[in-house]
Amino acid sequence: MTLSLAATAVVIAPNLAGASPPDALTRVSSDTSVTGAADVDYDADRLAIADTDASSVVASGTTISSFGASDSLDSPRGVAWGPNELYVSDTGNDRVLEFVLDGEEWVLSNEWSLGVGSDPRGLDYGGGLVYVADAGLDKVHKLSLIHI
């Protein structure tokens, strides 16, 4: 199954301000294809989609698949918006990543390794914490977001 969304669906767009997610999604055409949608998070005017098959995340009109000198996502299964950040469960690499938007480019700003045997899946943000459902360790992690 292929889920198709226009780039305008993942852009922080003033014309979608106040629109509920279903209304915002009905306004788009089919320019952006997501073949393995594993998770989606909608917050205000922002939509993020974890595409497990393509090992990428589509957020704010940009696809994140590789970053830094030679790092890349492997089967991301969860996304969650923070106030100014995007959190991604990078399932194939057993970690959770935090990205911030720098101009038009997503930049890695933090990374958490969850330990041997971890299998991070769903994410949620609330109260300055990120909660991670870990199918490998059968627990929910609570990540503190203190930046030093």
Side-chain angles (χ1 to χ4, degrees):
M1 180 167 114
T2 298
L3 173 65
S4 295
L5 296 173
T8 53
V10 291
V11 172
I12 300 172
N15 65 331
L16 298 179
S20 65
D23 184 39
L25 293 176
T26 59
R27 296 181 187 188
V28 301
S29 60
S30 57
D31 330 9
T32 301
S33 180
V34 179
T35 58
D39 192 22
V40 62
D41 192 29
Y42 178 84
D43 177 49
D45 295 331
R46 306 178 295 177
L47 180 67
I49 305 166
D51 187 344
T52 301
D53 290 352
S55 286
S56 65
V57 170
V58 178
S60 295
T62 305
T63 299
I64 306 168
S65 58
S66 60
F67 48 92
S70 62
D71 212 347
S72 61
L73 296 176
D74 183 7
S75 302
R77 292 186 182 254
V79 289
W81 288 109
N84 300 305
E85 309 83 12
L86 176 65
Y87 298 95
V88 176
S89 62
D90 188 14
T91 305
N93 290 315
D94 304 323
R95 62 188 178 178
V96 173
L97 305 173
E98 176 188 71
F99 291 93
V100 294
L101 194 57
D102 182 14
E104 294 186 20
E105 180 180 350
W106 287 101
V107 177
L108 181 66
S109 60
N110 212 339
E111 176 180 342
W112 296 268
S113 175
L114 301 178
V116 176
S118 69
D119 187 11
R121 302 285 177 112
L123 297 175
D124 199 12
Y125 173 87
L129 299 169
V130 172
Y131 298 88
V132 184
D134 188 330
L137 299 176
D138 295 326
K139 65 191 268 184
V140 174
H141 301 273
K142 182 169 63 172
L143 305 179
S144 174
L145 305 178
I146 298 172
H147 293 100
I148 298 174

